[in-house]
């Protein structure tokens, strides 16, 4: 059963300046008794979130309000400075699309590698299915990603990242580069993925997207939870309209 | 395959646990013995265990064949029995069902590696790892793999599933089968306590003398009270407890009875006025001995653990439950019962009723039998696609991902060139040729016969050098994977070793060719060099792990590491060997690399490795391991550094 439980979690993010990366400087600082004060900002401040299976949580807030850091904390990238984090279920963080791409490799190899990183076996059928979703030409599979335009690259990466369902899905600022046609298709797939995942947390500036996808929206400000609102389910009328369009 | 015996063959069950009779007595062992005995009509049981005694390996205990693998003492509460996984693997095929009594990481190792996949496995979850919780990070992935492939998990109480995070992941597999005991042996209607001991103040406790049982708390609770305490059981804590008793001056009222046979124990249970279970950690999951006391109609004082202990004997009904480790409260609770015979009688009566109705041996047998039967008959197709949820956090998965990344790095070398990594081998060949001729000029020795060893040493040095250099930048280069895909940073340090290992295999063609061409072919040394070579690789990885993490945290270390490596190259016998310079210099002897090369080079040329070299390398390895563990702890913060 997938659950996420954050209790009074804080994260102090150390800001390493050029000097903080220097061992010599640090040793010297010890010798001359220089106060080695580390600059720290509190990126996540006393956040409590309880999510059971079925929760769809949107994170909103201005740049630097701690959305991405909170997602990384849930993914286990950053250890919390205080508080308790308990997560059960298989977490699939899709925070940056570019993660793990090697532009010199051909598309097919990149897909295979990305699948392996997420613990899946890249079979021919899976890769073909992913490629079909991108709607790119067959022969482009054999081209290095360097030759792809940013939109095409995004298609490939999106298709790969969303090929398999997850228990807990963490998404950060998605669907910004691709053209309108693909964006629509991608959102549909995302909705599909979201409907299969037990828990979804999406960080985005796109308020309409959050309202369509989430059951509650948490507004963050300077790492604190400024407000949390529940979203009423979309009216059945608009739902029908959407279905017709699809 | 010639099972033609006429009666239907009983399916055989192999019980797997770290220790068994007659080496020790205790709750878990009683459970295993009871399972074997009560299921003997339906299943043929046998036990595979460890033992420190050197005598007979195969013995019969209560009609059950027990094989004991030699153990060389205990390390962290675990038997050091290197042969155990091997024997277990061999025995798996002979049995229809495997019953693992957890926790026992030595067996988890076998199952985690995927052996015995085709035999159904039932896990009896006796306790979580409490005492050596620091080892969790290593053992938990193993236990998770074992539980994932288990057909069923048996626990003694529902609360264990709720309180153990690892079990909650496999909630659907857990079966609650409460332990049961044969209550009829406790029917001693003639012995009323006052017939034998009319002082009315005998307090009994029973269990191995180990720290988590909390007997020191019980002894402290007896200070300034009137009751007598008798403790049944044996164990490593005995000297400490004896010292405590004499320090507190309780020698006349507190007695350690040592091991006591079943019949005697039952009699003591029936004699006692109050039974106490003062356990202080969750390692006590059920408390079989308190159930025995209940069957004997005794009131119980137990502790408020997060396990079944306070649920078997419930506060206010069959027991008084006190906070664990609180000697004062424990003493008060015992006194309260001692001073109130009527309450004792009432609680004892309801304890007896509960033991007979709720924890009967028959219900236990039927529960076990149905779980075992279901496990055997369940189809054993392992390929349950939903079950194999990918978790990139286990260290086996880390290894796999690192290998996949390294493999793709190597494949990429072939993409735009036919020769791929062999370009590097070519370069290596040229270096070796030039160096060989130069060194040949300097010394008069026969250079031709030296060339293969020179090439091999260069290959090994290149490996070490590039692994360490790669590691210093590996984490920064993989920043996006660490931060956006939440992959553990150690993967990328492993990747360096794997990648350079693959390249080193390419480079190894040069020494191989030279060896085939130039020297008489004698393979005997190659095998002897393998242990040394693996030490070399492990040390290289440890070094790269520590330096890679340090260089990521402190960026100014990288140039220092680079120049140190250059220096090390010149100061180590890579291109020269110790007999070219005719005396052994101090620098060379103190240089650990000298010895790290010696442990595999010497056997390869048919010589013997200096004992000093082996010790030197092992000490260096131990230091590196300590540093690596420290590094792994700090690597949690690596995402902040990149």
């Amino acid at each position: 059963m997938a659950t996420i439980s954050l209790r009074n979690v804080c994260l102090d993010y150390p800001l390493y300046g050029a000097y903080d990366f220097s061992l010599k400087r640090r040793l010297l600082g010890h010798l001359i008794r220089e106060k080695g004060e580390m600059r720290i900002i509190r990126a996540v401040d006393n956040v409590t979130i309880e999510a059971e299976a079925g929760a769809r949580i949107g994170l909103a807030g201005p740049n630097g309000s701690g959305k991405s850091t909170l997602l990384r904390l849930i993914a286990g990238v950053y250890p919390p400075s205080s508080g308790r984090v308990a997560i059960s279920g298989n977490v699939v963080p899709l925070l940056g699309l570019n993660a793990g791409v090697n532009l010199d490799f051909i598309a097919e190899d990149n897909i295979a590698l990305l699948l392996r990183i997420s613990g899946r076996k890249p079979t021919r059928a899976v890769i073909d299915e992913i490629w079909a979703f991108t709607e790119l030409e067959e022969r482009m599979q054999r081209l290095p990603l360097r030759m792809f335009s940013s939109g095409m690259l995004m298609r490939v990466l999106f298709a790969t990242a969303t090929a398999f369902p997850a228990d807990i899905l963490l998404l950060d600022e998605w669907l910004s580069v691709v053209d309108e046609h693909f964006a629509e298709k991608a959102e549909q797939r995302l909705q599909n993925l979201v409907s299969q995942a037990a828990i979804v947390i999406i960080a985005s500036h796109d308020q309409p997207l959050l309202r369509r996808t989430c059951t509650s929206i948490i507004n963050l400000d300077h790492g604190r939870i400024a407000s949390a609102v529940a979203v009423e389910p979309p009216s059945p009328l608009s739902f029908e309209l959407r279905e017709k369009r699809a | 395959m010639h099972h033609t015996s006429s009666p239907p063959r009983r399916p055989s069950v192999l019980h797997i646990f770290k220790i068994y009779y007659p080496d020790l007595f205790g709750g878990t062992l009683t459970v295993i013995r009871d399972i074997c005995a009560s299921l003997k009509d339906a299943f043929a049981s046998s036990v595979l265990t460890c033992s420190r005694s050197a005598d007979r390996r195969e013995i019969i205990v209560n009609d059950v064949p027990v094989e004991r693998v030699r153990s060389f003492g205990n390390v962290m509460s675990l038997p050091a029995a290197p042969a155990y996984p091997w024997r277990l693997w061999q025995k798996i095929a002979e049995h229809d069902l495997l019953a693992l009594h957890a926790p026992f990481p030595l067996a988890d190792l076998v199952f985690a590696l995927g052996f015995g996949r085709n035999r159904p496995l039932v896990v009896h979850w006796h306790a979580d790892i409490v005492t050596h919780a620091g080892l969790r990070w290593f053992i938990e992935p193993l236990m998770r793999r074992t539980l994932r492939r288990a057909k069923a998990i048996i626990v003694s109480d529902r609360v264990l599933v709720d309180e153990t995070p690892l079990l909650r992941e496999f909630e659907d597999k857990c079966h609650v089968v409460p332990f049961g005991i044969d209550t009829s042996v406790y029917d001693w209607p003639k012995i009323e306590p006052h017939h034998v001991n009319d002082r009315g103040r005998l307090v009994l406790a029973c269990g191995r003398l180990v720290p988590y049982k909390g007997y020191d708390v019980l002894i402290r609770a007896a200070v300034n009270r009137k009751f007598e305490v008798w403790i049944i059981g044996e164990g490593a804590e005995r000297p400490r407890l004896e010292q405590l008793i004499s320090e507190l001056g309780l020698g006349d009222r507190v007695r350690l009875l040592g091991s006591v046979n079943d019949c005697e124990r039952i009699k003591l249970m029936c004699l006692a006025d109050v039974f106490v279970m003062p356990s202080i950690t969750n390692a006590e999951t059920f408390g079989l001995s308190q159930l025995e006391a209940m069957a004997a109609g005794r009131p119980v004082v137990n502790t408020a653990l997060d396990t079944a202990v306070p649920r078997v004997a419930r506060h206010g009904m069959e027991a008084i439950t006190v906070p664990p480790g609180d000697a004062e409260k424990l003493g008060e609770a015992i006194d309260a019962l001692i001073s109130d015979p009527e309450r004792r009688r009432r609680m004892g009566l309801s304890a007896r009723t509960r033991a007979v109705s709720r924890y009967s041996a028959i219900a236990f047998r039927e529960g076990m039998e149905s779980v075992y039967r279901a496990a055997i008959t369940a189809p054993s197709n392992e390929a349950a696609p939903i079950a194999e949820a990918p978790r990139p956090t286990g260290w086996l998965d880390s290894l796999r991902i690192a290998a996949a990344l390294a493999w793709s790095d190597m494949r990429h070398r072939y993409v735009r060139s036919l020769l791929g990594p062999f370009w590097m081998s070519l370069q290596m060949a040229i270096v070796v040729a030039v160096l060989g001729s130069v060194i040949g000029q300097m010394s008069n020795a026969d250079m031709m016969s030296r060339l293969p060893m020179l090439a091999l040493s260069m290959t090994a040095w290149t490996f070490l050098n590039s692994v360490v250099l790669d590691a210093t930048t590996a984490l920064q280069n993989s920043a996006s994977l660490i931060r956006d895909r939440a992959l553990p940073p150690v993967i990328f340090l492993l990747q360096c070793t794997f990648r350079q290992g693959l390249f080193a295999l390419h480079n190894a063609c040069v020494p191989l060719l030279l060896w085939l061409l130039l020297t008489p072919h004698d393979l005997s040394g190659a095998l002897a060099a393998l242990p040394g070579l693996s030490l070399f690789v492990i040390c290289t990885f440890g070094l790269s792990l520590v330096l890679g993490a340090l260089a990521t945290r402190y960026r100014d270390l990288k140039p220092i590491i680079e120049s140190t490596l250059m220096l090390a190259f010149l100061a180590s016998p890579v291109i020269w060997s110790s007999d070219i310079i005719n005396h052994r210099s101090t620098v060379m002897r103190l240089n650990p690399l000298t010895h790290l090369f010696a442990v595999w080079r010497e056997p390869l040329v048919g010589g013997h490795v200096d004992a000093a070299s082996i010790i030197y390398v092992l000490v260096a390895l131990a230091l590196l391991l300590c540093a690596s563990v420290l590094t792994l702890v700090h690597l949690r913060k690596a995402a902040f550094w990149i």
Side-chain angles (χ1 to χ4, degrees), chain A residues 59-112:
Chain A
L59 297 179
N63 287 333
S65 57
K67 299 189 296 288
S68 306
T69 313
L70 184 58
L71 286 180
R72 292 213 170 99
L73 190 120
I74 295 172
V77 176
Y78 299 133
S81 314
S82 68
R84 211 179 64 90
V85 178
I87 286 157
S88 67
N90 144 41
V91 182
V92 175
L94 301 176
L95 302 181
L97 273 179
N98 297 24
V101 214
N102 194 328
L103 291 174
D104 291 329
F105 288 19
I106 61 171
E108 191 187 341
D109 286 353
N110 263 306
I111 294 175

Side-chain angles (χ1 to χ4, degrees), chain A residues 11-14 16 20-26 38 72 75 77-80 89-90 93-100 104-105 109 113-114 116-120 161, chain B residues 168-169 171 385 388-392 400-401 404-405 408-409 411-412 415-416 480-487 552-557 560 636-637 639-642:
Chain A
L11 178 72
D12 290 324
Y13 199 107
Y16 292 113
D20 299 313
F21 275 124
S22 164
L23 182 65
K24 285 174 279 194
R25 176 86 188 181
R26 183 150 173 189
M38 189 77 81
R72 292 213 170 99
V77 176
Y78 299 133
N90 144 41
L94 301 176
L95 302 181
L97 273 179
N98 297 24
D104 291 329
F105 288 19
D109 286 353
L113 197 58
L114 285 174
R116 273 203 195 281
I117 285 173
S118 46
R120 307 281 178 181
Chain B
R168 242 178 291 144
E169 292 174 31
E171 217 173 354
E388 53 145 29
R391 289 185 66 92
R400 203 175 299 141
I401 294 175
L405 286 170
S408 110
D409 284 343
R411 269 191 46 173
H412 187 238
V415 167
R416 263 176 288 181
S480 76
L481 276 176
I482 295 174
R483 287 152 62 105
D484 298 336
R485 287 297 170 95
L487 290 183
T552 314
R553 174 66 188 82
Y554 298 110
R555 298 288 160 79
D556 54 344
L557 264 180
I560 299 178
R636 267 163 57 82
K637 287 181 286 190
F640 292 129
W641 307 336
I642 47 184

Side-chain angles (χ1 to χ4, degrees), chain A residues 28-74:
Chain A
L28 269 178
H30 266 289
L31 283 180
I32 57 175
R33 301 270 164 77
E34 186 196 54
K35 271 243 175 75
E37 66 188 65
M38 189 77 81
R39 272 159 304 158
I40 282 172
I41 58 162
R42 182 148 280 202
V44 174
D45 194 357
N46 203 8
V47 166
T48 299
I49 296 177
E50 299 281 341
E52 297 269 314
R56 278 113 189 65
I57 299 172
L59 297 179
N63 287 333
S65 57
K67 299 189 296 288
S68 306
T69 313
L70 184 58
L71 286 180
R72 292 213 170 99
L73 190 120
I74 295 172

Side-chain angles (χ1 to χ4, degrees), chain B residues 62-73:
Chain B
N62 297 13
D63 298 334
V64 174
V66 176
E67 178 176 337
R68 310 194 293 172
V69 179
R70 183 74 204 280
S71 141
F72 303 97

Side-chain angles (χ1 to χ4, degrees), chain B residues 341 389 450 502 575 620 633:
Chain B
R450 269 188 211 287
L502 287 171
I575 48 174
V633 172

Side-chain angles (χ1 to χ4, degrees), chain B residues 490-505:
Chain B
V490 68
I491 287 180
F492 305 100
L493 297 172
L494 262 172
Q495 181 196 359
C496 297
T497 305
F498 284 175
R499 184 201 312 139
Q500 294 302 339
L502 287 171
F503 291 160
L505 287 181

Side-chain angles (χ1 to χ4, degrees), chain B residues 422 425 428 452 455-456 459-460 501-515:
Chain B
F422 283 108
S425 314
M428 159 87 69
L456 192 60
T459 307
L502 287 171
F503 291 160
L505 287 181
H506 282 83
N507 284 348
C509 299
V510 179
L512 193 69
L513 273 177
L514 288 173
W515 177 72

Side-chain angles (χ1 to χ4, degrees), chain A:
Chain A
M1 208 64 213
T3 54
I4 294 179
S5 151
L6 305 183
R7 290 237 177 92
N8 308 93
V9 171
C10 296
L11 178 72
D12 290 324
Y13 199 107
L15 293 173
Y16 292 113
Y19 283 149
D20 299 313
F21 275 124
S22 164
L23 182 65
K24 285 174 279 194
R25 176 86 188 181
R26 183 150 173 189
L27 294 178
L28 269 178
H30 266 289
L31 283 180
I32 57 175
R33 301 270 164 77
E34 186 196 54
K35 271 243 175 75
E37 66 188 65
M38 189 77 81
R39 272 159 304 158
I40 282 172
I41 58 162
R42 182 148 280 202
V44 174
D45 194 357
N46 203 8
V47 166
T48 299
I49 296 177
E50 299 281 341
E52 297 269 314
R56 278 113 189 65
I57 299 172
L59 297 179
N63 287 333
S65 57
K67 299 189 296 288
S68 306
T69 313
L70 184 58
L71 286 180
R72 292 213 170 99
L73 190 120
I74 295 172
V77 176
Y78 299 133
S81 314
S82 68
R84 211 179 64 90
V85 178
I87 286 157
S88 67
N90 144 41
V91 182
V92 175
L94 301 176
L95 302 181
L97 273 179
N98 297 24
V101 214
N102 194 328
L103 291 174
D104 291 329
F105 288 19
I106 61 171
E108 191 187 341
D109 286 353
N110 263 306
I111 294 175
L113 197 58
L114 285 174
L115 288 176
R116 273 203 195 281
I117 285 173
S118 46
R120 307 281 178 181
K121 217 180 163 71
T123 59
R124 193 65 246 174
V126 170
I127 294 177
D128 281 342
E129 197 182 309
I130 289 171
W131 200 257
F133 187 82
T134 63
E135 298 181 349
L136 297 174
E137 278 175 63
E138 190 76 33
R139 61 183 175 82
M140 291 191 71
Q141 263 193 52
R142 307 233 140 251
L143 291 181
L145 285 187
R146 194 176 288 291
M147 302 185 180
F148 283 42
S149 74
S150 61
M152 282 149 69
L153 182 60
M154 207 48 78
R155 284 182 179 217
V156 174
L157 293 173
F158 178 85
T160 314
T162 55
F164 285 99
D167 283 355
I168 299 175
L169 196 59
L170 308 175
L171 303 169
D172 190 4
E173 266 322 325
W174 274 57
L175 308 175
S176 41
V177 196
V178 287
D179 63 42
E180 216 166 275
H181 163 71
F182 192 76
E184 200 173 302
K185 186 172 166 180
E187 201 182 320
Q188 228 170 65
R189 181 156 182 177
L190 202 57
Q191 296 279 7
N192 191 18
L193 197 65
V194 165
S195 69
Q196 284 174 47
I199 300 179
V200 181
I201 303 186
I202 304 180
S204 178
H205 294 290
D206 185 353
Q207 285 284 348
L209 172 83
L210 289 186
R211 263 195 223 104
R212 281 201 301 276
T213 333
C214 301
T215 53
S216 66
I217 295 179
I218 294 175
N219 286 301
L220 288 175
D221 184 40
H222 290 97
R224 269 181 234 104
I225 295 185
S227 65
V229 283
V231 182
E232 54 265 42
S235 66
L237 185 69
S238 70
F239 189 67
E240 246 175 47
L241 279 176
R242 286 186 58 79
E243 275 205 325
K244 267 185 198 142
R245 219 175 61 188

